Structures are given as structure tokens and as C-alpha cells.
Amino acid sequence: MTSQASLPAPSSRSMLDTLRRIGRLAAPYFRSEEKWRARALFLAVIALNLGTVYVTVLINDWSRVFYDALQAKDQQVFWQQLLRFTYLAMGGILVSVLKYYLTQLLQLRWRAWMTRSYMTRWLANRTFYRLELARYTAAAGAGNGLASADNPDQRIQEDMQLFTDYTVTLSMGILNSVVTLVTFIGILWSLSGPISFALGGHDVTIPGHMVWVAVIYCVVGTTLTHYIGRPLIGLNFNQQRYEADFRHHLIRVRENSEAIALDRGEKVEHGQLDLRFGSVLRNYLSLIKQQKNLVAFTSSFAQLSVVFPFFLAAPRFFSGAIQFGELMQVSRTFNTVQDALSWFVDNYDRVAVWRATADRLTSFDDAMEAHAKTHDSLAREPGASSLHTDDLSVALPNGTQLLANAALSVQAGDSVLLQGPSGSGKSTLFRAFAGIWPFAKGHMSVPDNAMFIPQRPYVPDGTLRDALAYPSPASDFSDEALRKALDDALLPQLASRLDDSDAWSQKLSGGERQRLAIARVLLKKPAWLFADEATSALDPEAESTLYERLSATVQQAGGAMVSIAHRAAVGDHHRQRWTLAPQGDGEAPRYRLVTQGAPA
């Protein structure tokens, strides 16, 4: 098994490492089957951002002429420039609207592709099951070799939306700032002129002095911003995790509302929810305090930049070296250069969220990749006509061995009842038969035409016909076949509700859910059936009737049935019995298989 690598804290990663991780997440879309459309949209967004910079250059030049006309009280030029501004404003609005639309379209298409890609990987090869198994066993303190990732639902639904949004907007913001800086720094250089002063008895002249002042001003601001805001990265990472944990427990309470109500567990659940919400609030309070410091600095930085260019250019204006229009152009140009240089200052909080989101997605990506590269130790032979195991060993996630070197055999026509103490690994052995248990090794052959009924069958929301046919399409079966399956499973009251849409997992009782799972078997008629406490919620009479029908179904299909049950009466429907018997204290494996009725 692949061991889970420990991830460094988000705040400890270098920006270069973060950019590599972001590139790793972003690249697949632009190499996918949608690559030409994606690249075209991306280039169009870049072109429109460059168009925005060009409009800004034109308005900057316009401001010089306009304010000079005001100073000279030249009405003709004043009205001409007002008309010119109308054209510039209309062009700027058109570019801005088109840029917004194409940017949002790129984000939408990218998110759609990325979400579908991750959902496919998450659901492929039962990765979703192994991730949850790894998370729960890790939470219980059990060491295992599976990579885990918390709250995959949040990562697929929320983090991908944030990632695509911030990647496009922030990357375009960086591009805008770079192009703006390159464009306007020459303008500021020519407008600011040289400054001369005496230093140590020597005359010193600095050409384009305002450019150097802007650079120093923004370098100092960026450095201070980074040190003030650096804790935000880790806090944002944790905030997303705490929010997801809180939401996950709310969903669990909703889905298990009846059991909680019957147990009078409201106080306990309130305590659990309050504990998780307390983590949300504590981390958010730390986030607010850190954000307060950052806002205080960035606001001061922004306010000072409003008057700073006037302070620098005022001596030249009062000396008559420049006109009022040039003063305003100097101010506008300085602020434009300063805005470009201080992009990091203005967007530090968004960059922090971006980095935290990228960290969460790449850790999710790493976990799924680890599962994709993991090879099961249990070799399965496809296309078998019987169930057969050789040297089968089954263990718990913490390494405790339940069963070792088991040689089991079930032929067509057999019926086997598996029994044993609670916790002996009966359900775990079934998971190994199904090929989903990663802590099993040996050799196994299982027929393809097999169905498994778990202890708690899954009933999806939607129409009853979809829930009955799950996971096959309901269109594969006629209404007559669906109704007959319900009647045979002792659910005649539901036969007229095939098109009713509801939350069936909440509406049906435990016994009705088990009978619905049995109705699926009677509908699909598999040759091989593995039933794990499939009738534990039913009365003895219904249990006997349904087992007779299940047995007849698999026998008619030329297969066999293997069941787990604690009730002795279930044994009347099986000709063989396997019992997991405890071995002596401390012995490994903990159980041995005792067979009755026929050799295993």
C-alpha cells in the first residue's frame, strides 16, 4: 500500500512551490479535449486586458490636455476633450463588459471540466470508498497505508469554484499590473524629470526620480504586507476545513434524524455541533484579527499614495516648470505605476485564499493519485464460475489479522451461512469478496453475475423506479417487472408509486429499505448473491418468505447464495455453515473458519 506523505503547513511553502502546484492543477484543462476552446478564451481575455491598459493610457494623456484647458480657460479645447472622453469612456465600457463576460465564461467552462474530471477520478475504482475508509480509520487512531483527504465534497464543490475563479482573476490581475507598469513607467520617467541635490560636497542628479520613489515605496509596502499577512494563508486553509467539518456534521444529523430523536441524542449532537462551530468561530476570530492588521496597513498605504505624488511634484509646479495639466498627469501616472507595483499589497488576502485552496486541491489530487497507483494485494480472477479463495488473509486497517490462509470454495447450487461473534470480521470478509477491502491478500475468484446486499442498503432520492433499479437505468425494466419485484419483496403498497419522487431513505422504515434491496435482487435475478444481515429488520415470517424467493432466484439462475445472519432460522435456508471461531488470546490470526455441512 502507498503510505500517506505528510504535507507541509500551507504557510511554510514557498511561493514558487505554490505556483508549481497551481500549474499542476491548471495545466490539464488546457491540454484536454477542450484545449482549443480553452486557449482561445484565455487569449481573448488576455487581449481584452491589454485593451483595458490601452484605454487607460489614452485617458491618462487626455487628463493632461483637459486640465491644461481648464487652467488656460480654453472653452473650445475643454468641450473637445469632453467629447473625446465620451468616446474613450464608451470604448472602455465595451472592453470592460466583454472582458467580464469572457472571463466568467472561461471560469465556468474550466470549473465544469475540472469538476467532472475530479468526480470521475473520485468515483473510479472505488476511490471515494477508500478515501473515507482511510479518513475514518485515521480518526480512530488506526495506522493504515491509505492516503486520506477530508471533505472531498467541499473540495469538488467549493474549492474548485474558488480555484478557477481566483486563478483567472488573479493571473489577469498580475498581467494587467505588469503591462501597466511597463507602459506607464516610461511616461512617469519623462514626466518626473531629474532631481538634483548636494551630498557630501558633490552635486547628485537622479533622472526620473519619481520612478525610483514609486519602486522603493512599493517594495517597502509589499515586504511589510507579506510579513503582516503571512499568517492568513494557514488561517484560510484551516477555515475551509473547519467550515466543511461543521457542514458535514449538520448533514449527518439531518440524515440520521430519526435515530437521534429515538435515542434522545439532541443534547449530545448539540454539543458535537457546538464543538465544531466553536472551531469555526475561533479560527475566524483569528482570521479577523490578522485581517484587521493587514487592512490597517494597506488602507494607510493607499491613503498616503493619494497625496504622495503631489508632495513630490509640487515644487516643480510652483516653480512654473510644469503646468496644472502636467501635474494632474504626473499624479495619475504615479498612482497608476504605484497601483501596478502594489498589486501584491492590494490582493494579499485573495492570494492567501488562493494558496490555501490550491493546497487543499493538490492534497486531494495527491490522495486520489496514490489510490490510482495502489495495487491490491488480493489477486482476483475474472470470469470465474464459482467462488474460490487460496491463502486468503483478511486484516483490519490497524494491521490486526482476522483471518489467515483461508481456502474457501462455493460451487453453483450451494448455499452458505456465515456466522460468528460481532466484530469477528464477517462483513469485512464480504467486502473482500466484493473486491473493495484494501487490507486483504491472497488469490480469489468470484463470478461476475453477482450482487451484494449490505447491512444498510443505499436508497437514492428521486423517483421510486430509479431507487428500485439502482444502479441500473430504470428504463431497462418494464413497469410490470418493477411492480412484480415490489410485490414479491412484500412491498405491494409501493407498486403504484413508481413515479413518485421523494427522499426514500428518510420515508421508508428500516425493514422497508431492506425489502427494497431484496426487490432489486428479485428484479435483476443475479446468479450469485451475497447478503449481509439482509433481513435483520424483518419479522420471522417475512424473513422466511423472502429467503425462499431469494434462494429460488439464484438456483434458477444456476448460481449460489452466501449469507451473514445471527438468527438461527436463517440457517434453514442454507445447506452449509461457516463459523468464525475465536482463537486463543493474543494469537494471530484472531479467528479460524469452522465449516459444517460441506468442506470449505
Side-chain angles (χ1 to χ4, degrees):
M1 294 294 175
T2 304
S3 61
Q4 181 183 6
S6 59
L7 294 171
S11 58
S12 69
R13 290 198 181 96
S14 67
M15 180 58 76
L16 182 60
D17 179 57
T18 298
L19 291 176
R20 288 196 191 101
R21 296 167 74 86
I22 289 169
R24 174 183 147 197
L25 292 170
Y29 175 58
F30 294 94
R31 297 172 184 163
S32 69
E33 68 281 359
E34 295 186 18
K35 60 184 177 182
W36 297 117
R37 178 177 292 176
R39 294 172 186 178
L41 271 174
F42 189 66
L43 291 175
V45 171
I46 289 176
L48 290 168
N49 274 272
L50 297 179
T52 302
V53 176
Y54 178 68
V55 171
T56 305
V57 172
L58 295 178
I59 291 178
N60 180 270
D61 181 69
W62 168 87
S63 68
R64 175 183 59 82
V65 179
F66 179 75
Y67 286 112
D68 278 346
L70 280 177
Q71 184 181 26
K73 297 183 180 179
D74 188 335
Q75 291 190 35
Q76 182 179 359
V77 175
F78 172 80
W79 293 112
Q80 287 175 347
Q81 291 305 309
L82 278 183
L83 182 61
R84 182 187 174 205
F85 179 79
T86 302
Y87 299 145
L88 292 175
M90 290 177 62
I93 292 170
L94 180 62
V95 170
S96 296
V97 170
L98 193 56
K99 181 183 74 171
Y100 170 80
Y101 174 74
L102 292 184
T103 299
Q104 295 298 312
L105 188 61
L106 175 60
Q107 292 172 12
L108 177 65
R109 291 187 180 278
W110 190 1
R111 179 192 178 188
W113 182 90
M114 197 172 182
T115 300
R116 292 191 180 106
S117 174
Y118 272 69
M119 283 195 301
T120 299
R121 293 174 58 197
W122 181 53
L123 293 172
N125 300 318
R126 301 182 179 90
T127 298
F128 66 99
Y129 170 74
R130 293 193 175 193
L131 286 174
E132 286 301 298
L133 180 64
R135 188 168 73 89
Y136 283 118
T137 53
N144 61 76
L146 293 178
S148 64
D150 63 281
N151 303 302
D153 54 317
Q154 185 211 26
R155 302 190 189 205
I156 293 174
Q157 183 269 324
E158 181 179 338
D159 287 350
M160 287 183 189
Q161 186 270 330
L162 288 174
F163 176 76
T164 53
D165 182 2
Y166 280 19
T167 300
V168 174
T169 55
L170 292 178
S171 61
M172 288 302 105
I174 294 172
L175 174 68
N176 240 335
S177 296
V178 171
V179 175
T180 299
L181 181 63
V182 171
T183 303
F184 278 87
I185 203 164
I187 299 173
L188 183 61
W189 184 282
S190 62
L191 288 174
S192 59
I195 184 172
S196 300
F197 55 90
L199 182 64
H202 300 280
D203 293 331
V204 178
T205 300
I206 300 177
H209 68 284
M210 293 188 72
V211 172
W212 302 111
V213 172
V215 170
I216 295 171
Y217 182 75
C218 292
V219 166
V220 172
T222 300
T223 302
L224 292 175
T225 299
H226 175 63
Y227 280 103
I228 294 172
R230 184 166 53 178
L232 288 172
I233 299 170
L235 289 170
N236 276 296
F237 182 94
N238 289 330
Q239 189 66 29
Q240 291 175 343
R241 179 163 62 89
Y242 293 143
E243 294 279 7
D245 288 342
F246 178 54
R247 183 174 63 241
H248 177 72
H249 200 79
L250 286 169
I251 294 172
R252 288 196 64 194
V253 171
R254 187 193 70 188
E255 291 178 343
N256 297 279
S257 56
E258 182 179 354
I260 293 170
L262 290 172
D263 286 336
R264 304 291 194 268
E266 296 89 347
K267 185 175 181 180
V268 174
E269 295 306 320
H270 187 280
Q272 291 293 323
L273 287 170
D274 196 53
L275 181 67
R276 286 163 172 79
F277 189 55
S279 298
V280 171
L281 293 180
R282 282 190 297 274
N283 192 81
Y284 195 63
L285 181 60
S286 299
L287 197 61
I288 290 173
K289 291 178 179 178
Q290 202 61 44
Q291 192 80 31
K292 175 197 66 176
N293 298 335
L294 184 62
V295 169
F297 176 76
T298 55
S299 297
S300 303
F301 185 84
Q303 291 298 326
L304 182 59
S305 67
V306 174
V307 298
F308 201 62
F310 290 106
F311 173 77
L312 295 174
R316 298 184 67 212
F317 172 72
F318 288 120
S319 69
I322 59 175
Q323 300 298 310
F324 181 61
E326 289 177 291
L327 175 65
M328 297 304 296
Q329 188 181 20
V330 166
S331 172
R332 182 184 288 270
T333 303
F334 180 90
N335 283 322
T336 302
V337 171
Q338 181 264 328
D339 286 343
L341 287 169
S342 60
W343 179 90
F344 189 70
V345 175
D346 298 332
N347 292 276
Y348 194 91
D349 55 341
R350 303 182 75 204
V351 171
V353 175
W354 189 34
R355 289 184 66 178
T357 302
D359 287 332
R360 287 178 59 79
L361 282 178
T362 47
S363 63
F364 183 38
D365 190 77
D366 290 340
M368 292 197 296
E369 187 69 21
H371 286 289
K373 293 179 179 179
T374 298
H375 299 286
D376 288 337
S377 301
L378 182 62
R380 294 174 62 85
E381 178 185 335
S385 59
S386 63
L387 171 65
H388 179 77
T389 71
D390 185 26
D391 291 330
L392 175 64
S393 296
V394 180
L396 295 176
N398 62 5
T400 301
Q401 198 168 29
L402 297 175
L403 193 65
N405 305 319
L408 309 175
S409 179
V410 180
Q411 303 297 323
D414 290 344
S415 55
V416 179
L417 176 64
L418 175 62
Q419 292 185 311
S422 296
S424 59
K426 302 183 297 297
S427 297
T428 302
L429 181 58
F430 263 37
R431 295 181 188 114
F433 289 159
I436 67 173
W437 189 249
F439 308 104
K441 61 182 180 179
H443 295 81
M444 176 184 296
S445 61
V446 179
D448 294 332
N449 187 14
M451 284 185 66
F452 289 80
I453 306 179
Q455 291 183 20
R456 292 174 293 177
Y458 172 65
V459 182
D461 295 344
T463 63
L464 181 60
R465 67 170 68 243
D466 288 333
L468 174 56
Y470 183 85
S472 302
S475 57
D476 289 354
F477 308 96
S478 66
D479 286 4
E480 182 182 356
L482 295 170
R483 293 191 183 98
K484 185 177 187 307
L486 290 172
D487 286 337
D488 290 345
L490 307 181
L491 290 172
Q493 70 278 13
L494 297 179
S496 61
R497 302 184 62 188
L498 289 176
D499 293 312
D500 289 2
S501 185
D502 213 329
W504 296 106
S505 60
Q506 301 294 321
K507 289 297 181 69
L508 300 179
S509 67
E512 287 174 324
R513 290 196 296 272
Q514 287 190 339
R515 279 179 279 168
L516 185 64
I518 292 172
R520 290 174 184 163
V521 176
L522 300 176
L523 175 68
K524 300 175 183 180
K525 298 179 172 57
W528 288 75
L529 177 64
F530 296 83
D532 184 359
E533 296 285 358
T535 57
S536 59
L538 304 182
D539 60 86
E541 183 179 353
E543 180 178 64
S544 179
T545 300
L546 291 177
Y547 255 108
E548 288 177 0
R549 293 176 181 176
L550 290 174
S551 178
T553 297
V554 296
Q555 292 296 329
Q556 185 177 0
M561 178 170 61
V562 182
S563 301
I564 294 175
H566 287 285
R567 293 178 183 173
V570 177
D572 296 338
H573 304 279
H574 300 78
R575 290 195 291 271
Q576 298 180 42
R577 181 170 300 184
W578 296 348
T579 304
L580 288 171
Q583 299 210 96
D585 292 341
E587 290 190 36
R590 294 172 58 183
Y591 297 90
R592 59 189 177 88
L593 196 65
V594 179
T595 62
Q596 293 176 310

